[in-house]
Amino acid sequence: MVQKSTKKFQKNHLKRTIGQRKQVQAYKKKIAKGNKRKPTAEEEYYGDEAESAKRQRSRGSEQALGKDTNAKELFAGGVQENVEEAFAGVKKKKISKVADDGDDGLPDFTKFLDQDDQDLLNEENNSEGSDNEEDDEVEDEEILGGSVDESDEEPQRKNGKNRENDKEELTGKVIAKWKKSLNEDKSLRALRQVAVAFRAAVHVGKDESETVKFKYAITDPETYNDVVMLTLTQFPEVLNHHIPVITSSGGRRTIATTNKKYQQLAPVLKSLSANLLRLLSDLSESKTVTAVLIAGEKLLPYFASFRRFVKQFIKAVVDVWSTASDESTRLMAWVVIRAAAEFGDKGMLELCMKTSYAGMIKNCRHTSIHTIPLINFMKNTAATLYTLDREVSYQTAFDYIRQLAIHLRNSVVHKTKDSYKAVYNWQYIHSLDFWRRVLSLQCDITKEEKEGKESALRPLIYPVVQLILGAMRLIPAAQYFPLRFTLFRSLIDLSRDTDVYIPLLPTITELLTSTTITRSGKPSTLRPFDFEHNIRANAAYLGTRIYQTGVCEQIIECILEFYGLYAKHISFPELVVPCVITLKRYARRKDRLSTVAPEKGRKKAKKHENFTFHKQLLEVIEKLEVNSKFIQDHRKTVEFSPENHEQVKQFLKDVAWEKTPLGQYLKIQREVKEERLRILRASMEKEGDKQDADEDDVMDEVEGDDSDE
């Protein structure tokens, strides 16, 4: 006797399966002919090194932490010369993709990341075997266990309905009965019925084929809502009653898959997972999406064996995490992603890392004062995934940082008109800042001191710093000064958190010789330029006095922030010497130009144009010298030499940073800046509200004209 499942397979999947097998056989025959394949872009570029790089990467993350991928040694010669050697183990598909993007200008990181994730999914799906069919539709009879509930059969017999052709109208009375059974008896029969009703509810309003049949018909919106909420609230509770979730000492949640009830409920769970994913992709209302996410987080241990569903579910949750407008919904989406990364294996953790990174890059292309809070939320939360496993974190970070290095190298090597656009865009800048945040979190000096060892990601600090410095100086035009200041602030944060000295002063002082500073600015009625949320200045701002003033303020701020890191350091007097000399030389040159006597036949020389900036520089010099004297006075009492690193670290440890002369001054400057940003946000929000009101008025006029017609 042929089993029911065999008949179902023959009816729905046999033809497709035979076709797929024929395609595989044809492909194998084509490969067996021995045709010489065309070398990939990596093999053309690296030659024989490409295959060895591939073998090296296949050895696993353990070797990646050793000497073969010592990032500091590989970057010893600088980004532009040694990026190929530094990242010789990148995947072939990545190199060919970057080469194309570098020639075409503005790259689309999402295409590369989507392709990378798709390959990952395909590889894992091919290795899972029987799991390839778990997204197939589970029919109602299979969910009900192949039997019909006699209590539901009798009313239909009396009404003369044919169960094969007609659907039963679902009412609130039936739902109340199920709810009572679930609450009081934890009934598995009621649970199956709810799963069947939930399947019908998810498919409401969709054009389904005739082969897809449903037991229940749902026509009332209130009934639909009751079924969905009953499923989301009662399913986790009833399942946990019959199949308890076990939490290990490490916090990992699992269930006993050998439990007979779990095996009996496998079709129910399979149907629930597919319909839960379908529901999540269709919803737009924040409260319902949050309810689905809460239920999904509780049900993840039961879905662990459905690998394909978990991957698809994580991608759907990442979409919510990166696009939802409601803050509570985004937070709940992140809870689900974090739970999936923690309870799964290393492959699941890597999937969560890559998917969240792709979602972040995809949705940070357009950055403004309104979108920056969401982008920072994504970067801060995604960075916490790299605290879960040191090997997976290092290998994933290494691969993506190498990808960024190749983009930078192509922009330097390919001297085309638009080659720089592969780097000078928000996606690339946010990528650099994201890895900076990962390193700041993982290599935090306070955290390392508590653990008594260095972080496994600390060797990646050097290549990230080289990348950011290379990006800052790629195009030294005044139009991209905002990008330089943005990356400068990112390196300041990295230096503060990791206690690594980064020579940033030359990247700022070299701007003093630019024409934006040396030439007098043109009067303009433009509003002040927003350096916090822009990486490129419009042509209208270039050469104007308002832009010149903004650049001068940024230079002052960067100098103060850089030396503010070392306001308590014992070597502060020596650190400020180059800066003081440079600033004094610039100030004396300006004074000399403004006081020189005019030659015969020439107009009288104008007074120094940028008097405010000149005054601010003199004030900065004064504060640096005062703080230097403050450190020198305290150094007179020390009795240890510079070789005693422990004593050097303890110098002025009991003195608050705000109590130093430079700290006091910098604190006031930060408060002034914060107030300026607050006013800017308020003005932009007011403009946005005004624009919305104008659009509403236009729409009202249009509707009024239509009604008159």
Side-chain angles (χ1 to χ4, degrees), residues 449 568-570 638 640 644-655:
E449 290 177 353
K568 293 170 48 179
H569 201 275
I570 196 171
V638 301
F640 54 86
N644 194 334
H645 298 291
E646 292 299 326
Q647 292 293 331
V648 169
K649 291 180 180 179
Q650 298 298 323
F651 181 74
L652 294 184
K653 187 176 182 179
D654 298 333
V655 178

Side-chain angles (χ1 to χ4, degrees), residues 557-577:
E557 177 188 339
C558 291
I559 294 175
L560 291 175
E561 289 290 346
F562 175 70
Y563 283 109
L565 297 175
Y566 309 101
K568 293 170 48 179
H569 201 275
I570 196 171
S571 63
F572 184 85
E574 288 75 23
L575 285 175
V576 299
V577 170

Side-chain angles (χ1 to χ4, degrees), residues 408-437:
L408 179 60
R409 181 207 60 187
N410 288 343
S411 298
V412 174
V413 174
H414 300 158
K415 300 295 185 180
T416 60
K417 181 179 179 181
D418 296 329
S419 61
Y420 71 94
K421 293 182 180 179
V423 174
Y424 277 24
N425 61 83
W426 269 120
Q427 289 178 305
Y428 192 91
I429 300 304
H430 283 305
S431 298
L432 290 177
D433 186 63
F434 171 73
W435 295 116
R436 189 277 306 170
R437 295 185 188 223

Side-chain angles (χ1 to χ4, degrees), residues 273-395:
S273 64
N275 293 313
L276 200 66
L277 181 62
R278 187 177 288 109
L279 178 65
L280 183 60
S281 61
D282 294 340
L283 291 175
S284 59
E285 206 274 329
S286 298
K287 291 184 179 180
T288 311
V289 173
T290 304
V292 174
L293 294 174
I294 293 174
E297 192 272 335
K298 295 178 180 178
L299 292 170
L300 272 176
Y302 301 96
F303 298 147
S305 58
F306 307 146
R307 301 287 290 184
R308 177 180 292 183
F309 160 76
V310 175
K311 300 184 191 81
Q312 295 173 346
F313 185 66
I314 289 175
K315 284 193 97 174
V317 173
V318 166
D319 289 339
V320 177
W321 167 73
S322 59
T323 60
S325 58
D326 184 68
E327 184 177 358
S328 60
T329 304
R330 294 199 305 267
L331 286 173
M332 193 62 227
W334 174 247
V335 171
V336 177
I337 298 172
R338 177 83 182 197
E342 289 178 341
F343 89 81
D345 52 13
K346 291 186 177 182
M348 188 61 62
L349 173 60
E350 184 178 5
L351 176 68
C352 292
M353 289 177 175
K354 292 187 174 182
T355 309
S356 60
Y357 182 71
M360 178 198 68
I361 298 303
K362 180 180 178 181
N363 291 279
C364 70
R365 176 177 254 170
H366 303 290
T367 302
S368 66
I369 193 172
H370 303 292
T371 61
I372 198 66
L374 173 59
I375 295 174
N376 287 333
F377 166 80
M378 290 191 290
K379 289 192 286 190
N380 290 332
T381 51
T384 60
L385 290 177
Y386 294 82
T387 63
L388 300 179
D389 188 281
R390 60 190 296 267
E391 296 178 5
V392 177
S393 300
Y394 186 95
Q395 189 61 55

